Amino acid sequence: MILDILFLIGGLALILVGANMLTDGSSDLARRMGISELVVGLTVVAFGTSTPELVISIISAVKGTSELAIGNVVGSNIFNICAIIGIVALIKPMKVSHNIMNNEIPLVFLSSLILLIMGNGPFLDSEPAMILSRVDGILLILFFILFMRHTLSQAKSGNTSGENEDQKPPMKIAKAILFVILGLAGLIFGGDIFVDGATGIAKALGVSDAVIALTIVAAGTSLPELAVSITAALKGKPELALGNVIGSNIFNIFLVLGASATIFPLKFGAIGNVDLLTLLLASALFWIFGRFFKYNTITRTEGGILATVYIAYTMWLISNA
């Protein structure tokens, strides 16, 4: 049990450090290639904050622990919306731009709805169990490609925020390449021992991989988003916090689950409609709170409601473990 906990903590530390190094190195190389800071932020940085989920889900799929792969994404997305947006809004009400409200947040809801529909094959068709097939995975990746095309077209048309005024001076090329290599190594090795640790803890506690994935693993892999969002809120940059969560949630479902299911079909196992409907509810509240009531603002009261939803959901998971 102690060794499993050490594996969990050590693996998570390697994943977070690796994701940070990979993002910094890739961003620097992209800028040297003439790619704008804006596009780097919408692509490389968004991918970087989702690499913990990507690595853990793919390794889990390969190792046959598909509950860990799906629970990681579902739990992370619920945590991102309810806990992170909730906490940030409690710190400071969040202004939501018109473009984000009309273009990006609906995609968060749509991705959650698509996952719910794909997971309910037994009810909609003749499939024997809830599963993400390789066909589902390919469809999710196609959705991801469409999302990236939409994001890049918005960037070119000037519908998103401009260049980063605080752009860091470039690294030396050798250092940037070293960061990418070490970042990938940290992600792969860290993800491997993290999955082993999480699985070992689940067995020792007598709970399913799904519960561990939806709670400990989900919160752990969302630490990059949590740190960035709270820092952004304290610096008076709510748009950065919003973009961080929105991009991560869309990446998690379309890319992370898409890539994982394409490699190996994923069985939902103990992850059921309560979890998927909680994610859909969180996405709907995120959209509704931003658009209605106090227009284009997520208030402290609404942030408190989101945080309460997360606490209630976690208590339900623990009571049914």
Side-chain angles (χ1 to χ4, degrees):
M1 180 71 169
I2 295 176
L3 184 61
D4 289 327
I5 293 174
L6 291 175
F7 272 19
L8 190 77
I9 296 172
L12 179 59
L14 282 172
I15 288 169
L16 296 179
V17 171
N20 185 61
M21 294 183 73
L22 177 63
T23 300
D24 287 347
S26 300
S27 297
D28 190 84
L29 290 174
R31 293 187 194 103
R32 286 181 178 277
M33 294 169 61
I35 301 174
S36 72
E37 183 78 12
L38 172 62
V39 175
V40 169
L42 292 169
T43 54
V44 178
V45 176
F47 175 78
T49 57
S50 289
T51 44
E53 288 90 346
L54 179 64
V55 171
I56 288 174
S57 292
I58 289 179
I59 292 176
S60 298
V62 171
K63 290 190 172 185
T65 53
S66 58
E67 286 184 5
L68 199 59
I70 297 178
N72 176 33
V73 166
V74 173
S76 291
N77 282 16
I78 293 172
F79 185 89
N80 286 350
I81 296 173
C82 294
I84 295 179
I85 294 297
I87 291 171
V88 170
L90 284 170
I91 294 172
K92 186 175 183 179
M94 304 178 70
K95 291 282 185 181
V96 185
S97 74
H98 183 74
N99 286 324
I100 289 177
M101 182 56 62
N102 287 337
N103 297 316
E104 275 71 40
I105 294 183
L107 289 176
V108 174
F109 178 80
L110 178 63
S111 64
S112 303
L113 180 61
I114 289 171
L115 182 59
L116 176 67
I117 293 171
M118 286 182 171
N120 277 278
F123 301 98
L124 301 175
D125 205 345
S126 57
E127 294 181 13
M130 294 177 70
I131 187 170
L132 279 181
S133 65
R134 284 194 174 92
V135 173
D136 292 331
I138 292 171
L139 287 174
L140 289 174
I141 290 177
L142 290 176
F143 279 120
F144 173 73
I145 293 171
L146 291 175
F147 164 69
M148 289 304 300
R149 182 178 178 182
H150 162 76
T151 301
L152 295 176
S153 66
Q154 274 203 306
K156 291 177 182 178
S157 63
N159 288 333
T160 54
S161 56
E163 297 290 317
N164 185 357
E165 296 176 358
D166 301 321
Q167 181 173 327
K168 297 178 182 178
M171 303 178 188
K172 292 182 179 180
I173 294 179
K175 183 179 179 181
I177 294 173
L178 181 62
F179 266 43
V180 171
I181 294 172
L182 291 177
L184 286 171
L187 286 168
I188 294 169
F189 181 65
D192 189 53
I193 63 175
F194 185 94
V195 170
D196 288 342
T199 303
I201 290 173
K203 291 178 180 177
L205 294 176
V207 299
S208 68
D209 288 340
V211 174
I212 294 295
L214 289 164
T215 53
I216 298 174
V217 177
T221 55
S222 291
L223 286 178
E225 289 89 344
L226 178 62
V228 169
S229 296
I230 291 179
T231 301
L234 293 174
K235 289 183 177 181
K237 297 180 180 179
E239 292 281 328
L240 180 58
L242 280 169
N244 179 36
V245 167
I246 290 168
S248 177
N249 276 31
I250 295 172
F251 267 62
N252 284 348
I253 291 179
F254 288 160
L255 177 62
V256 174
L257 284 185
S260 301
T262 301
I263 293 171
F264 196 89
L266 304 175
K267 293 181 180 179
F268 281 75
I271 298 166
N273 279 324
V274 172
D275 308 298
L276 298 179
L277 287 170
T278 300
L279 175 57
L280 189 66
L281 172 64
S283 303
L285 289 176
F286 186 25
W287 192 4
I288 291 168
F289 286 164
R291 176 165 290 282
F292 303 103
F293 306 113
K294 189 173 181 181
Y295 186 68
N296 277 18
T297 302
I298 298 176
T299 65
R300 285 190 173 92
T301 300
E302 293 163 349
I305 293 173
L306 289 173
T308 301
V309 169
Y310 184 74
I311 293 171
Y313 171 66
T314 303
M315 291 178 64
W316 180 87
L317 281 176
I318 294 172
S319 65
N320 287 274

